[in-house]
């Protein structure tokens, strides 16, 4: 038994705590208790105390902390839920109920509290039903009768509390639906459960938004968002289906809804149902709301075209024709209907299309940008069997191309040229990129461009720019309206529609990550401020220089007026590499491969699980998992392989990736396709943290507009990899934030010659890396006071010392500041000897005997006292030496250096 206990203890890492362990835990609890009582309004301290209680296993202290926390922060729902969860884990169901009831009195409209309270009641009902099944006595069965009554009552009370709040109502109904379905798998036949299910169905039925006949509790369409409306309707039809209804009975009510998002959600739910899909799809596609909005109509058409269901093909043509007739100025709808004359009438007037209808079509060109080949080939497949022969589309495009050829004497375009700023244009990537832009590879063969190229004011760079400028003029690009090469930021960014930032300071062996980040902060600080001052308000910014995700985030901080969704990081290069590898492996064209995803940032997580190869999912290909791992490893090392082979970085493929990124952004992606872009992570998809520039799959509508594609399901391994990449990017963002604050404060010190406030000093000190020397910062602050005289310098010493004593939350930084300040005082003659001794004593009490800094402080103190020996109110060196021997831990180092000091030798 002892052997078994030892093996289990070793396997489970059991360890008996010592007295010092308990003492340390108790001391930390005391510090956190004092901190929370002194700073009651600081939620971070309360959560930190709760977290420490959980990690240390201090159950009793945890309960006291949670009770105090909810007392001081009754409006914080998470604290109430933590307290209730703690009681529930200990088996105190009644206590958990009471806590949640108190929480509802403080937060009567909190969906989070209501949902967790409902979850508690469902769990209790399940436990009672289990006890009923296990019990043998009749009395117990009678007592457990109708266990779902509290759940139903709480559900009805919750609905009454969120009445009038559309978003909260939708969230509560969806949470209730999830709980109902999870309980139905076990207890659907129990007494009272059907009553709760009926109450849920009735509540969703009465609150369905978007209907002409409003009931008393119905939510009007002006109150609710598309997502919430679709959620409420989904709750209703799922409950109806669970009660035995069929889709043909439900879709007439859904079709009468004014929300196109509800129709889209219903179509997505109907498509997998083979039996009822035909009639239901026809009814939904004939609804007025399906064609009311052109963007939503295109998404519905995309869903129908991507489906292999035979019933979907019959409703495509009807919906397309209705949408095109309701929106006659919509170019993509006109092209899909095959109306040659309408396409020709719209092309010269794209700039006059209203914002609602102006969704440019994704046009690609097979043989180059010749005007006579316009519309010869469209890079999205025709929608399947649009009610007529598929050759109709190609005939339409060919007829339009022939008509344009007959009008070849007309000017290329009457629209305003697109102004593109290229930073770092003199490099290898710029040399490959500029001809592609000037030839119409991004904006089409009829759209003129103005190039504004920027680079460093260095002799070799200036020579390279002059050479590229001469070659561009010799290239005779018909679409190149104007070109300028400059080293002035204001000229390069003035009036830009698109900005491509090629340059950055890359990661290198032997250079610290923080040093790289600080250099990139300096670079993109300049770029961001130039963007803020000179570009157009809707300018689209593409950051190419790696690490592109962090550099794009830095750029966004210095250009606050630019919309965050207009700043992108390039990950298309990884997608193109993966697409090319797959096409090469199977002997196909790259046009046969689509929907490769790059998650996070460059060279981190390329994902081909969702790729489609000639219409067939990659997962259905034999050996797909092995190929996935092979492609991923190859793509992550592809850049290094190119550098090793060429002795230079990949410039041509990078330029092509920039072109593909901007082309999709400006013209739109193909129907049924998504591409990878690093975008601002405020979309809420895939549980990605906010305030990151994170690469996700997107669908581009054209004109710079896009939306994140949220329909991908990730495997467990992919989710773990995604979380790992997210954690790395969060660490990079935090480091960049520190560098930004540090950079701003140092610039302020330089600009004001050290005359900064204590708040600015706190910013710069807190932004320093742990262990970084604080002496240069203090020296910069105090140097300004030194010029004004000894009195001003002494006053500054006192101010900084008072400021340092307030840094109680970062004791290591406080010690560094006090020690650096003391060293600076030793270099001046403005501070009296007795005051310096007092400061040494204060610093020793702050450091503590067990600190690694204690030895150095004692040695400095001893060296100072040895130098002023004989002065009044100064301790004798030998007495100080004996005190140090009783205090310091590293006796060997201290004895060696102290002996040198006492002998009058210099130590280092």
């Amino acid at each position: 038994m002892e052997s078994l206990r030892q093996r289990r203890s070793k396997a489970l890492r059991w360890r008996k705590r010592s007295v010092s362990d308990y003492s340390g835990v108790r001391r930390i609890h005391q510090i956190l208790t004092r901190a929370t009582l002194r700073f009651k309004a600081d939620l971070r301290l309360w959560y930190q105390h709760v977290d420490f209680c959980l990690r240390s296993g201090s159950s009793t202290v945890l309960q006291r902390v949670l009770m105090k926390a909810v007392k001081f922060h009754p409006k914080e729902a998470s604290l109430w839920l933590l307290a209730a969860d703690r009681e529930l884990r200990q088996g105190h169901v009644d206590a958990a109920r009471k806590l949640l009831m108190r929480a509802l009195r403080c937060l009567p409209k909190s969906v989070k509290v209501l949902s967790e309270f409902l979850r508690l009641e469902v769990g209790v009902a399940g436990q009672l039903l289990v006890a009923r099944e296990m019990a043998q006595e009749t009395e117990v069965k009678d007592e457990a009768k109708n266990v779902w009554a509290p759940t139903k009552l709480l559900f009805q009370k919750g609905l009454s509390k969120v009445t009038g709040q559309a978003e909260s109502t939708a969230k509560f109904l969806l949470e209730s639906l999830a709980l109902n379905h999870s309980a139905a798998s076990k207890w659907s036949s129990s007494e009272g459960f059907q009553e709760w299910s009926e109450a849920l169905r009735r509540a969703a039925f009465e609150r369905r938004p978007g209907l002409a006949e409003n009931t008393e509790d119905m939510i009007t369409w002006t109150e609710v968002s598309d997502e919430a409306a679709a959620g409420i309707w989904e709750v209703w039809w799922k409950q109806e289906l669970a009660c035995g209804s069929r889709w043909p009975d439900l879709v007439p009510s859904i079709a009468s809804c004014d929300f196109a998002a509800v129709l889209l959600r219903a179509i997505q739910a109907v498509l997998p149902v083979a039996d009822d899909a035909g009639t239901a799809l026809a009814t939904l596609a004939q609804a007025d709301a399906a064609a009311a909005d052109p963007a939503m109509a295109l998404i519905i058409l995309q869903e129908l075209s991507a489906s292999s269901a035979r019933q979907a093909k019959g409703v495509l043509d009807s919906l397309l024709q209705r949408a095109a007739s309701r929106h006659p100025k919509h170019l993509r709808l006109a092209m899909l209907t095959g109306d040659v004359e309408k396409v020709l009438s719209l092309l010269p007037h794209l700039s006059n299309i209203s914002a609602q209808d102006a969704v440019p079509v994704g046009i690609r060109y097979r043989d180059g940008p010749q005007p006579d080949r316009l519309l010869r080939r469209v890079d999205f497949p025709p929608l399947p069997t649009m009610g007529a022969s598929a050759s109709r589309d190609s005939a339409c495009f060919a007829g339009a191309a022939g008509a344009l050829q007959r009008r070849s004497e007309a000017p290329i375009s009457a629209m305003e040229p697109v102004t593109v700023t290229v930073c770092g244009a003199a490099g290898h990537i710029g040399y490959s990129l500029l001809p592609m832009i000037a030839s119409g590879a991004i904006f089409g063969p009829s759209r003129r461009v103005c190039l504004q190229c920027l680079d460093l004011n260095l002799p070799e760079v200036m020579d390279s720019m002059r050479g590229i400028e001469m070659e561009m003029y010799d290239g005779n690009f018909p679409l190149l309206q104007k070109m300028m090469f400059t080293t002035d930021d204001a000229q390069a960014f003035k009036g830009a529609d698109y900005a491509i930032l090629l340059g950055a300071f890359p990661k290198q062996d032997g250079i610290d990550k923080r040093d790289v980040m600080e250099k990139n902060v300096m670079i993109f600080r300049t770029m961001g401020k130039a963007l803020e001052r000179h570009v157009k308000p809707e300018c689209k910014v593409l950051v190419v220089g790696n690490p592109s995700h962090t550099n794009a985030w830095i750029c966004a901080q210095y250009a606050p007026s630019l919309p965050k969704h207009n700043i992108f990081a390039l990950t298309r290069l990884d997608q193109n590499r993966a697409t090319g590898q797959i096409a090469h492996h199977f002997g196909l064209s790259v046009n046969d491969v689509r929907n490769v995803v790059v998650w996070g940032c460059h060279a981190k997580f390329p994902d081909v699980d969702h790729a489609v190869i000639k219409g067939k999912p990659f997962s259905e290909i034999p050996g797909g998992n092995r190929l996935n791992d092979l492609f991923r490893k190859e793509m992550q090392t592809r850049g290094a392989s190119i550098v090793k082979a060429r002795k230079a970085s990949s410039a041509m493929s990078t330029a092509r990736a920039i072109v593909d990124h901007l082309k999709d952004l400006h013209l739109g992606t193909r129907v049924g396709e998504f591409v990878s872009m690093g975008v601002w992570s405020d979309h809420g998809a895939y549980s990605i943290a906010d305030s990151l520039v994170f690469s996700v799959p997107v669908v581009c509508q054209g004109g710079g507009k896009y939306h994140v594609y949220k329909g991908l399901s990730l495997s467990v391994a992919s989710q773990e990899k995604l979380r790992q990449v997210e954690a790395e990017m969060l660490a990079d963002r935090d480091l960049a934030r520190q560098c930004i604050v540090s950079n701003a404060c140092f610039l302020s010190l330089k600009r004001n010659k050290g005359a900064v406030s204590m708040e600015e000093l706190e910013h710069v000190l807190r932004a320093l890396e742990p262990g970084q020397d604080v002496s240069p910062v203090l020296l910069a602050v105090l140097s300004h006071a030194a010029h004004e005289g000894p009195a001003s310098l002494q006053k500054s010493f006192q101010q900084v010392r008072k400021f340092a004593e307030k840094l109680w939350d970062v004791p290591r930084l406080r010690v560094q500041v006090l020690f650096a300040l003391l060293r600076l005082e030793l270099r001046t003659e403005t501070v009296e000897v007795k005051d310096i001794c007092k400061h040494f004593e204060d610093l020793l009490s702050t450091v503590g005997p067990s600190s690694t800094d204690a030895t150095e402080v004692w040695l400095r103190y001893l060296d100072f006292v040895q130098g002023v020996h004989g002065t009044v109110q100064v301790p004798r060196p030998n007495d100080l030496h004996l005190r140090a021997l009783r205090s310091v831990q590293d006796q060997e180092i201290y004895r060696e250096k102290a002996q040198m000091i006492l002998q009058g030798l210099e130590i280092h």
Side-chain angles (χ1 to χ4, degrees):
M1 291 298 294
E2 176 63 19
S3 176
L4 178 62
R5 188 193 68 80
Q6 290 179 359
R7 289 200 303 271
R8 287 182 175 175
S9 299
K10 185 177 180 180
L12 297 176
R13 297 180 181 178
W14 289 342
R15 184 175 66 89
K16 184 178 179 180
R17 291 186 176 182
S18 64
V19 176
S20 61
D21 292 334
Y22 285 108
S23 176
V25 170
R26 192 180 304 112
R27 178 60 178 159
I28 294 174
H29 278 308
Q30 291 173 356
I31 294 172
L32 289 172
T33 302
R34 290 166 56 195
T36 51
L37 292 179
R38 182 177 179 183
F39 304 96
K40 300 181 182 67
D42 195 341
L43 270 172
R44 296 175 301 171
L45 288 173
W46 290 103
Y47 280 119
Q48 187 173 354
H49 201 173
V50 170
D51 178 67
F52 179 73
C53 291
L54 292 172
R55 288 188 288 108
S56 61
S58 307
S59 303
T60 307
V61 180
L62 175 61
Q63 196 65 27
R64 291 202 303 264
V65 171
L66 286 173
M67 291 300 100
K68 290 181 181 178
V70 297
K71 175 182 177 181
F72 292 117
H73 298 278
K75 298 296 184 180
E76 185 68 17
S78 298
L79 291 175
W80 288 105
L81 296 180
L82 280 171
D85 179 71
R86 189 63 192 171
E87 294 288 356
L88 196 60
R89 287 178 182 272
Q90 295 178 348
H92 305 154
V93 178
D94 291 336
R97 274 202 186 105
K98 291 178 181 178
L99 281 171
L100 290 175
M101 292 176 66
R102 289 174 58 192
L104 284 178
R105 285 196 291 269
C106 298
L107 300 163
K109 298 182 182 298
S110 174
V111 177
K112 184 186 294 186
V113 175
L114 286 170
S115 301
E116 293 303 321
F117 202 167
L118 192 64
R119 190 185 306 277
L120 170 65
E121 294 298 339
V122 171
V124 171
Q127 292 177 359
L128 291 175
L129 289 172
V130 171
R132 175 194 291 182
E133 291 180 354
M134 297 178 63
Q136 300 298 326
E137 294 82 7
T138 307
E139 292 81 12
V140 176
K141 294 183 180 180
D142 292 338
E143 291 176 2
K145 189 175 181 180
N146 196 7
V147 297
W148 297 103
T151 305
K152 177 185 175 183
L153 178 62
L154 179 61
F155 171 73
Q156 293 172 342
K157 290 288 185 182
L159 280 179
S160 64
K161 289 180 180 297
V162 296
T163 299
Q165 299 181 6
E167 302 295 329
S168 299
T169 301
K171 290 180 182 178
F172 184 63
L173 287 175
L174 286 171
E175 291 287 345
S176 303
L177 177 68
L179 292 173
N180 182 272
H181 282 194
S182 64
S185 59
K186 294 182 180 180
W187 317 115
S188 58
S189 60
S190 60
E191 183 178 357
F193 183 83
Q194 295 302 328
E195 296 179 7
W196 176 35
S197 300
E198 175 61 22
L200 176 59
R201 186 202 65 81
R202 186 67 183 173
F205 173 80
E206 293 175 349
R207 289 162 175 79
R208 295 173 300 168
L211 292 178
E213 300 84 9
N214 287 354
T215 63
E216 183 178 354
D217 296 329
M218 187 175 293
I219 302 171
T220 59
W221 66 271
T222 56
E223 297 176 348
V224 63
S225 65
D226 288 347
E227 189 67 25
I232 295 173
W233 277 89
E234 185 178 4
V235 173
W236 171 71
W237 73 57
K238 282 188 175 180
Q239 288 298 98
E240 291 286 356
L241 292 172
C243 294
S245 301
R246 299 174 69 251
W247 277 112
D249 303 328
L250 303 178
V251 291
S253 297
I254 301 174
S256 61
C257 176
D258 295 334
F259 285 88
V262 174
L263 299 178
L264 176 61
R265 185 78 63 88
I267 289 173
Q268 293 171 342
V270 170
L271 282 174
V273 184
D275 297 334
D276 300 337
T279 306
L281 284 176
T283 306
L284 292 172
Q286 292 171 3
D288 293 336
D293 181 70
M296 191 60 69
L298 283 172
I299 296 176
I300 294 175
L301 287 170
Q302 180 177 347
E303 289 289 338
L304 295 174
S305 65
S307 173
S308 58
R310 195 171 43 187
Q311 295 83 353
K313 300 177 182 179
V315 298
L316 280 169
D317 190 61
S318 173
L319 176 58
L320 178 61
Q321 295 296 335
R322 287 192 299 114
S325 62
R326 291 188 65 172
H327 306 282
K329 295 183 179 181
H330 200 284
L331 180 59
R332 175 170 285 184
L333 291 173
M335 293 187 67
L336 291 178
T337 55
D339 193 335
V340 177
E341 293 300 326
K342 185 181 291 186
V343 170
L344 291 175
S345 64
L346 289 177
L347 282 175
H349 306 289
L350 282 179
S351 59
N352 298 326
I353 298 179
S354 64
Q356 180 182 0
D357 295 331
V359 183
V361 65
I363 305 174
R364 308 289 191 268
Y365 315 100
R366 177 183 299 173
D367 301 324
Q370 297 87 347
D372 61 318
R373 302 301 294 269
L374 182 63
L375 303 180
R376 179 71 70 183
R377 178 176 178 273
V378 177
D379 198 15
F380 51 80
L383 296 179
T385 61
M386 303 278 284
S389 173
S391 62
R392 182 190 60 183
D393 293 330
S394 60
C396 165
F397 303 147
L404 286 178
Q405 185 175 8
R406 291 190 296 271
R407 302 178 188 180
S408 59
E409 66 277 1
I412 291 177
S413 175
M415 299 175 63
E416 289 293 325
V418 180
T419 302
V420 182
T421 297
V422 181
C423 298
H428 295 293
I429 300 176
Y431 185 80
S432 300
L433 176 64
L434 294 178
M436 296 183 185
I437 300 175
S439 62
I442 296 178
F443 307 107
S446 62
R447 190 70 182 270
R448 296 169 297 162
V449 294
C450 295
L451 288 175
Q452 299 176 170
C453 305
L454 175 71
D455 217 312
L456 300 175
N457 189 11
L458 298 174
E460 58 273 16
V461 176
M462 296 290 291
D463 292 340
S464 178
M465 282 199 295
R466 280 192 292 269
I468 295 175
E469 184 177 18
M470 288 187 286
E471 285 206 65
M472 290 294 293
Y473 281 123
D474 295 344
N476 291 330
F477 296 102
L479 299 176
L480 187 57
Q481 176 82 3
K482 187 175 66 173
M483 182 173 55
M484 174 181 60
F485 285 80
T486 180
T487 59
D488 183 19
D489 298 342
Q491 295 182 10
F493 284 97
K494 184 177 180 181
D497 297 295
Y498 289 84
I500 306 171
L501 312 184
L502 300 177
F505 191 87
K507 297 178 182 178
Q508 298 178 6
D509 295 336
I511 300 181
D512 185 68
K513 188 175 184 179
R514 184 182 180 89
D515 294 337
V516 175
M517 190 70 72
E518 287 177 346
K519 293 182 183 297
N520 280 323
V521 166
M522 294 298 294
I523 294 172
F524 286 92
R525 172 182 172 273
T526 304
M527 297 293 102
K529 290 194 172 184
L531 290 166
E532 175 75 10
R533 295 169 182 167
H534 305 295
V535 301
K536 293 181 179 179
E538 290 299 322
C539 176
K540 312 300 184 295
V541 182
L542 176 61
V543 178
V544 180
N546 287 317
S548 59
H549 64 287
T550 308
N551 293 338
W553 186 89
I554 295 170
C555 192
Q557 308 310 304
Y558 288 106
S561 66
L562 281 182
K564 295 291 190 294
H565 61 266
N566 283 359
I567 298 177
F568 304 86
L570 182 71
T571 54
R572 188 59 178 270
L573 177 58
D574 297 79
Q575 177 183 334
N576 287 358
R577 284 173 174 171
T579 303
Q581 289 289 314
I582 295 173
H584 178 71
H585 180 84
F586 292 103
L588 302 172
S589 168
V590 291
N591 288 326
D592 298 326
V593 183
R594 60 178 180 174
N595 294 354
V596 175
V597 185
V598 178
W599 298 100
C601 57
H602 169 66
K604 286 293 185 181
F605 185 19
D607 182 11
V608 300
D609 287 341
H610 309 283
V612 177
I613 304 175
K614 297 196 73 171
K616 187 176 182 180
F618 186 81
S619 58
E620 298 179 5
I621 298 175
N625 293 332
R626 182 183 60 83
L627 292 175
N628 192 350
D629 296 337
L630 180 65
F631 291 143
R632 187 171 295 171
K633 293 178 181 178
E634 174 66 23
M635 286 177 282
Q636 288 177 339
T637 60
R638 187 71 167 182
S641 302
I642 294 174
V643 172
K644 183 178 179 180
R646 288 189 66 241
K647 305 298 186 291
S649 61
S650 53
M652 180 176 60
S653 57
T654 304
R656 180 63 192 177
I658 295 170
V659 168
D660 290 340
H661 179 111
L662 295 178
K663 178 171 58 176
D664 287 335
L665 190 63
H666 186 75
L667 299 176
T669 50
R670 297 180 291 184
V671 172
E673 180 187 33
F674 48 79
V675 296
S676 299
M677 293 183 181
V679 300
W680 198 262
S681 62
D682 58 352
H683 42 74
Y686 307 106
S687 302
I688 298 171
D690 292 338
S691 187
L692 283 176
V693 179
F694 200 95
S695 179
V696 291
V698 301
V699 176
C700 300
Q701 290 88 23
K705 299 180 180 179
Y706 67 91
H707 68 269
V708 176
Y709 187 82
K710 302 181 180 181
L712 300 183
S713 59
L714 302 179
S715 63
V716 176
S718 296
Q719 290 179 1
E720 292 178 355
K721 180 64 176 176
L722 187 64
R723 299 283 83 83
Q724 179 183 350
V725 173
E726 181 187 23
E728 294 177 5
M729 295 177 67
L730 284 171
D732 290 345
R733 183 198 65 184
D734 294 340
L735 178 59
R737 183 181 284 120
Q738 292 180 5
C739 293
I740 287 175
V741 175
S742 177
N743 178 269
C745 293
F746 274 115
L747 289 176
S748 178
L749 291 172
K750 183 178 179 181
R751 181 173 58 252
N752 299 325
K753 298 181 180 180
V756 296
S757 63
M758 292 298 107
E759 290 78 7
E760 291 177 322
L761 178 61
E762 182 177 0
H763 280 309
V764 69
L765 290 176
R766 289 183 181 273
L768 293 176
E769 195 72 11
Q772 190 172 351
D773 189 12
V774 300
S775 299
V777 182
L778 299 181
L779 190 60
V781 174
L782 297 171
S783 60
H784 177 75
H787 291 297
E788 298 181 359
S792 177
L793 180 60
Q794 188 172 5
K795 183 179 178 181
S796 298
F797 273 126
Q798 295 174 356
Q799 289 178 345
V800 175
R801 187 170 296 280
K802 289 181 180 179
F803 154 74
E805 291 172 354
K806 297 179 181 179
L807 297 174
W808 63 269
D809 57 330
V810 274
R812 177 69 177 172
L813 179 60
R814 180 175 55 176
V815 170
Q816 285 182 299
V817 173
L818 290 174
F819 201 6
L821 192 63
L822 190 54
R823 289 197 298 266
L824 292 175
E825 287 177 340
L826 293 174
R827 294 165 55 181
T828 65
E829 298 179 356
T830 58
V831 184
E832 295 184 4
V833 173
K834 62 177 183 179
D835 292 334
I836 293 180
C837 292
K838 182 178 179 299
H839 295 162
F840 265 118
E841 296 290 344
D842 294 341
L843 181 59
L844 285 171
S845 64
T846 303
V847 172
S850 60
S851 173
T852 55
D853 297 323
T855 302
E856 186 178 358
V857 175
W858 279 109
L859 290 171
R860 293 278 185 178
Y861 193 8
L862 183 62
D863 187 33
F864 171 72
V865 169
Q866 180 73 10
V868 295
H869 179 55
T871 308
V872 181
Q873 297 182 350
V874 174
R876 293 187 302 171
N878 290 332
D879 295 342
L880 190 65
H881 177 55
L882 292 176
R883 286 177 55 197
L885 286 175
R886 292 193 298 267
S887 179
V888 298
Q889 289 186 341
D890 198 342
Q891 295 279 335
E892 183 178 354
I893 295 178
Y894 173 77
R895 284 178 181 274
E896 179 184 354
K897 294 188 176 182
Q899 193 66 29
M900 296 174 64
I901 293 174
L902 293 174
Q903 293 176 2
L905 301 176
E906 184 178 357
I907 64 170
H908 299 283

